[in-house]
């Protein structure tokens, strides 16, 4: 739905969901809605598997523009398997891919890609402000190729990493708890425009521990706490 501040009750449907993208891919969900400087809307098209706990897997990046007041949908080329998107500059976006450990920078006018930073685990949920980049890395995320040769990424969150784009220095943000058996894993971080505040959706996990026959301490059977919280970091 699209509306304006002065007429908040006058919303206009601009894209039915589910829909088929211009390159023939069925999309059953959308996320990471991102306004671009030219007034078009970029977003992540998704495949949403049904059930009590739906699994949302990124499919590709799309762009919705108004041409003669008619919404026009285009595919951002060569982004199949994307998992998140963030605005970079007037002609750039940052994005991530399913099962991938790198953040990419795309120049929209040329289609050129470059790797911004590579992490130690699967990376997603990129957010940018000023010279700071924050992503979710690793954690409880599982990437597979199904029997029908489609991607599936089950994601219940991971650790937050902060990167200084000017220096390339990365660091994992503290987990806000000293209880190693109840870690907090995060999704969908959002940096404030000045890059000083970070808010993320966090959920605590309970790790069952037991000793195997060889006497090794193991952590298994992760149980998800149904309660979620928004957590805020004040960055230096």
């Amino acid at each position: 739905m699209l509306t304006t501040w002065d007429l908040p009750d006058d919303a206009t449907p601009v894209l039915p969901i589910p829909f088929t993208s211009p390159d023939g891919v069925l999309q059953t969900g959308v996320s990471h809605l991102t306004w671009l400087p030219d007034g078009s809307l970029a977003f992540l098209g998704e495949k949403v598997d049904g059930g009590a706990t739906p699994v949302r897997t990124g499919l590709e990046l799309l762009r919705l523009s108004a041409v003669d007041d008619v919404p026009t949908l285009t595919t951002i080329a060569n982004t199949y398997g994307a998992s998140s998107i963030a605005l970079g500059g007037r002609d750039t976006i940052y994005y991530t891919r399913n099962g991938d450990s790198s953040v990419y920078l795309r120049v929209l006018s040329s289609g050129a890609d470059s790797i911004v930073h590579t992490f130690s685990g699967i990376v997603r949920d990129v957010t940018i402000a000023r010279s700071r980049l924050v992503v979710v890395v690793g954690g409880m995320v599982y990437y597979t190729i199904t029997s029908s040769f489609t991607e599936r990424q089950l994601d219940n969150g991971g650790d937050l990493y902060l990167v200084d784009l000017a220096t390339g220095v990365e660091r994992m943000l503290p987990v806000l708890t000293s209880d190693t058996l109840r870690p907090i894993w995060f999704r969908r971080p959002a940096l404030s425009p000045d890059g000083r505040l970070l808010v993320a959706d966090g959920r605590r996990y309970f790790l069952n521990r037991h000793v195997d026959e060889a006497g090794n301490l193991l952590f298994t059977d992760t149980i998800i706490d149904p309660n979620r919280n928004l957590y805020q970091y004040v960055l230096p």
Side-chain angles (χ1 to χ4, degrees), residues 220-232:
T220 59
D221 301 325
T222 302
I223 301 172
I224 302 174
D225 182 347
N227 298 313
R228 310 182 74 98
N229 290 285
L230 283 179
Y231 292 87
Q232 176 177 287

Side-chain angles (χ1 to χ4, degrees), residues 124 135-140 157-161 172-173 175 183-186:
R124 60 272 191 211
V135 289
V136 174
V137 178
M140 198 174 179
D159 294 313
L160 292 172
Y161 276 75
M172 188 180 81
L173 296 178
V175 294
I184 299 172
W185 282 328
F186 297 94

Side-chain angles (χ1 to χ4, degrees), residues 18 31-32 62 66 135 159 211:
S31 67
H32 295 81
L62 298 138
V135 289
D159 294 313
V211 178

Side-chain angles (χ1 to χ4, degrees), residues 30-214:
V30 300
S31 67
H32 295 81
L33 305 177
T34 305
W35 286 107
L36 300 180
D38 66 358
S40 63
L41 181 71
F43 60 92
L44 176 67
E46 298 176 317
K47 177 182 67 174
V48 183
D49 296 328
T53 54
V55 177
R56 308 181 71 99
T57 301
L59 291 175
E60 59 187 344
L61 299 178
L62 298 138
R63 192 171 183 173
L64 190 64
S65 307
V67 178
D68 296 328
D69 294 326
V70 177
T72 302
L73 184 66
T74 57
T75 302
I76 299 178
N78 301 317
T79 59
Y80 191 81
S83 60
S84 67
I85 177 177
L87 177 64
R90 296 196 61 82
D91 190 36
T92 57
I93 57 171
Y94 292 84
Y95 73 100
T96 58
R97 293 182 179 272
N98 297 322
D100 199 328
S101 58
S102 295
V103 176
Y104 297 87
L105 177 67
R106 164 66 61 90
V107 180
L108 293 170
S109 58
S110 68
D113 274 341
S114 58
I115 294 177
V116 177
H117 197 88
T118 299
F119 298 85
S120 59
I122 294 176
V123 61
R124 60 272 191 211
D125 289 345
V126 60
T127 180
I128 306 285
R130 298 294 178 95
S131 62
R132 288 176 163 172
L133 176 149
V134 172
V135 289
V136 174
V137 178
M140 198 174 179
V141 58
Y142 305 98
Y143 171 77
T144 58
I145 301 293
T146 69
S147 58
S148 58
F149 301 102
T150 59
E151 295 181 321
R152 190 172 192 267
Q153 184 160 295
L154 172 63
D155 192 350
N156 284 315
D159 294 313
L160 292 172
Y161 276 75
L162 170 67
V163 176
D164 184 331
L165 293 175
T167 63
V169 174
E170 74 169 58
R171 69 184 181 97
M172 188 180 81
L173 296 178
V175 294
L176 305 176
T177 176
S178 60
D179 189 347
T180 58
L181 293 182
R182 292 181 172 85
I184 299 172
W185 282 328
F186 297 94
R187 288 297 315 273
R188 301 175 186 86
L191 279 165
S192 62
D194 63 1
R196 295 298 304 275
L197 296 177
L198 173 69
V199 175
D201 172 8
R203 175 179 282 179
R204 191 181 298 272
Y205 290 77
F206 299 99
L207 303 182
N208 294 331
R209 60 180 178 179
H210 66 90
V211 178
D212 66 10
E213 294 179 353

